[in-house]
Amino acid sequence: MRLLHAVWNIVAPLVGLALVIALAVDARRRHLARAAVDARPWPDLPRGTMPVEMPQLGQGVTSATVIRIMKHAGELVQIGDVVAEVSTDKVDTEIPATVAGLIVAVFVGEGDVVRVGYPLLAVTPSAVARQQM
């Protein structure tokens, strides 16, 4: 019984210390990942275009990873067309176009981590796209 008590007095603090270290390392990793996303330069939109931005996907969700780009520069897009698929730590979801027209620039690639509000692509609105065709 005394041996068990002695082992417990040694092992319990070590397990607690290991847990504290693991939590600190994870918090640091999350902080560095968030800092990398925040440091990503904001692209300049081409003149006369509208952005399709990364939407807020839930309370507390600040960024997502682009899994797949569905539309590319030079393609026409309608409101509601799926332009990208993204993943958060909670859900994978499709991002719909919020403007119709001709896609003139794509600012993200597969595997990129983007924050909420970041422009995924630039679209020339429909009226202007028809004049260019």
Side-chain angles (χ1 to χ4, degrees):
M1 188 64 144
R2 225 176 229 194
L3 179 61
L4 184 60
H5 184 66
V7 169
W8 177 255
N9 284 338
I10 294 171
V11 171
L14 292 176
V15 169
L17 180 61
L19 181 61
V20 167
I21 290 171
L23 290 173
V25 167
D26 185 56
R28 179 70 175 157
R29 180 193 56 77
R30 283 185 280 120
H31 171 75
L32 291 173
R34 205 172 312 116
V37 170
D38 291 343
R40 183 184 180 107
W42 209 266
D44 291 327
L45 292 175
R47 193 163 187 226
T49 63
M50 301 279 300
V52 174
E53 298 175 343
M54 176 67 197
Q56 178 75 42
L57 298 173
Q59 188 172 358
V61 177
T62 58
S63 64
T65 303
V66 178
I67 298 173
R68 186 171 50 200
I69 299 294
M70 309 290 208
K71 299 285 186 176
H72 303 284
E75 294 184 44
L76 289 173
V77 67
Q78 297 296 320
I79 293 176
D81 287 354
V82 176
V83 296
E85 185 178 349
V86 298
S87 176
T88 67
D89 58 344
K90 297 179 182 177
V91 68
D92 292 355
T93 190
E94 296 174 334
I95 306 301
T98 53
V99 62
L102 179 69
I103 298 173
V104 295
V106 178
F107 301 118
V108 297
E110 295 176 1
D112 287 352
V113 178
V114 294
R115 63 181 176 244
V116 170
Y118 191 87
L120 302 174
L121 46 92
V123 177
T124 301
S126 293
V128 178
R130 276 189 236 111
Q131 291 175 355
Q132 293 177 348
M133 294 180 148

